[in-house]
Amino acid sequence: VEEIKTRLQTRLSQGVHRPGDKFPSAREVAARFGISYQTAHRILRELHDEGLLERRAASGTFIPGGAQFFDGAHLIFDGRARREDSFGGRLVEKLSRRLERDGIKFRLDFSDALSLKIRRGFFPVLWESPRFVESCLKANRPAILLNDRPAPGLSATFLDSVSIDDFSGGAGAAQLLFRANENGKNWAIVGGLEGDVRSQMRVAGAQSVLKNASVLSAGGWYFEDGYRVAPQVLGAGGDGIFCANDRLAHAISTFAREENRKLPTIVGFDDAPIAEKIGLTTMAIPWDELIFEAAQIIKKRMNGDNAGARQLILTPRPIVRN
């Protein structure tokens, strides 16, 4: 009996539990350890008396603490989101508008402020803010990651996420290029910010289809980055070019026009406003679905939903324009 109790104490003190999680009943403990119901009931009663469990009449046995409620959402974004033509800037704009429409109180801060702390009583909404992800994990604090996923393991117990399947999107873009020129041999794949997981996965997805493609790095996500590498890209990708976002594709097409050079088939990623303006074929991030799902999770957590963390992965869809 003492051995079983010690094992349950270890599970409670060292395991990963949310306040309010349901714990196995006396009947389940009895079946699991091969002891009588009365003995299991006694063990759970002792754990309750020690403050490790909470017993609710007609409901069962739970981890103490009950559901967590939040006064609002604390949006903490990387400083790149200050730039209006960036992915983060668009994400801030769309999510803020949705939360305002739904009557959800929120505060926006940027993670490059050294003195910044997560606001007490607010649910953390994090984009590209690893310092605050680590802070939530250390405190077993629930949060949601946007366009990112928690590391496999214990992180996924506490962190919700809504992300994009960048690998699939990159593969889809490469398939569009191949359909446009099945006899092509000279393909170019242009990555964005070096070390950025989104760029790496988009490039890897495209490489899975265009196995002999030349891979070049723009070193960033913006027009000026793409413009700088445009000569090398046009030289390598005579049959087709995939760019890890639309701003890079815009830069390369602009360079080709200015230099009076032939522009091969080009496909972008994101479906940023510039893609519509220049008639760019692209793999579109499902923005409406991303914002809707994120807002739903935020509302549920603020209202005390204590269910297990959810990881939603959304698939980009092709928009063929030109």
Side-chain angles (χ1 to χ4, degrees):
V1 172
E2 287 302 318
E3 180 184 345
I4 293 170
K5 181 181 175 182
T6 298
R7 289 169 67 178
L8 293 178
Q9 286 172 323
T10 301
R11 170 176 173 169
L12 289 164
S13 62
Q14 299 181 20
V16 179
H17 296 284
R18 292 176 182 265
D21 279 354
K22 193 164 186 178
F23 197 74
S25 67
R27 194 172 303 281
E28 291 169 324
V29 171
R32 184 169 302 174
F33 293 104
I35 57 178
S36 69
Y37 173 85
Q38 291 78 6
T39 301
H41 181 79
R42 172 189 151 196
I43 292 172
L44 293 182
R45 185 179 67 245
E46 291 178 1
L47 293 174
H48 168 265
D49 293 342
E50 294 168 10
L52 294 174
L53 289 175
E54 179 180 295
R55 307 187 75 184
R56 303 174 192 170
S59 295
T61 306
F62 296 84
I63 307 301
Q68 289 181 275
F69 295 87
F70 298 92
D71 299 323
H74 193 176
L75 279 57
I76 302 178
F77 281 42
D78 182 89
R80 302 198 309 276
R82 293 188 180 95
R83 184 162 172 165
E84 290 184 3
D85 65 341
S86 68
F87 177 94
R90 197 174 181 192
L91 184 59
V92 166
E93 176 193 357
K94 288 181 173 291
L95 183 59
S96 298
R97 193 183 307 146
R98 177 74 194 211
L99 296 180
E100 288 172 353
R101 196 191 89 178
D102 291 351
I104 297 175
K105 180 181 177 181
F106 68 92
R107 170 177 174 167
L108 170 64
D109 285 302
F110 296 101
S111 58
D112 50 9
L114 297 178
S115 61
L116 179 63
K117 295 183 179 179
I118 298 173
R119 192 167 185 178
R120 185 183 296 274
F122 275 55
F123 179 66
V125 181
L126 309 176
W127 179 72
E128 300 286 320
S129 300
R131 175 162 65 97
F132 294 93
V133 173
E134 187 64 27
S135 174
C136 289
L137 289 175
K138 286 182 178 179
N140 286 350
R141 180 172 187 168
I144 182 172
L145 309 184
L146 300 181
N147 202 36
D148 196 4
R149 302 174 207 170
L154 298 180
S155 301
T157 306
F158 289 93
L159 301 178
D160 296 300
S161 69
V162 182
S163 62
I164 305 301
D165 190 342
D166 292 298
F167 185 94
S168 178
Q175 288 166 353
L176 289 175
L177 287 175
F178 188 76
R179 287 182 183 180
N181 188 359
E182 293 186 3
N183 296 318
K185 295 181 180 179
N186 299 313
W187 312 100
I189 299 170
V190 186
L193 184 66
E194 292 186 25
D196 189 303
V197 175
R198 289 176 299 158
S199 176
Q200 292 171 345
M201 295 306 294
R202 293 174 190 183
V203 168
Q207 283 183 294
S208 72
V209 177
L210 306 175
K211 301 185 186 300
N212 297 320
S214 299
V215 178
L216 302 98
S217 173
W221 289 112
Y222 302 114
F223 181 93
E224 56 268 27
D225 302 310
Y227 196 88
R228 186 172 54 252
V229 299
Q232 301 97 291
V233 173
L234 290 169
D239 294 320
I241 301 168
F242 165 60
C243 294
N245 78 357
D246 297 334
R247 288 170 291 283
L248 300 177
H250 178 214
I252 292 167
S253 62
T254 299
F255 180 89
R257 185 176 66 252
E258 292 176 350
E259 297 295 320
N260 199 28
R261 294 179 62 169
K262 179 183 177 183
L263 180 68
T265 304
I266 186 167
V267 177
F269 199 115
D270 278 356
D271 195 29
I274 190 62
E276 185 70 55
K277 185 176 180 180
I278 67 174
L280 175 69
T281 291
T282 188
M283 296 300 296
I285 288 176
W287 279 102
D288 291 343
E289 190 178 356
L290 188 155
I291 297 301
F292 172 80
E293 295 292 353
Q296 290 296 106
I297 291 174
I298 292 169
K299 284 191 287 187
K300 288 181 178 180
R301 296 304 185 202
M302 286 178 57
N303 292 327
D305 186 324
N306 207 39
R310 302 178 66 199
Q311 278 78 52
L312 301 180
I313 303 173
L314 309 178
T315 304
R317 64 182 186 278
I319 297 183
V320 179
R321 293 191 173 98
N322 210 351

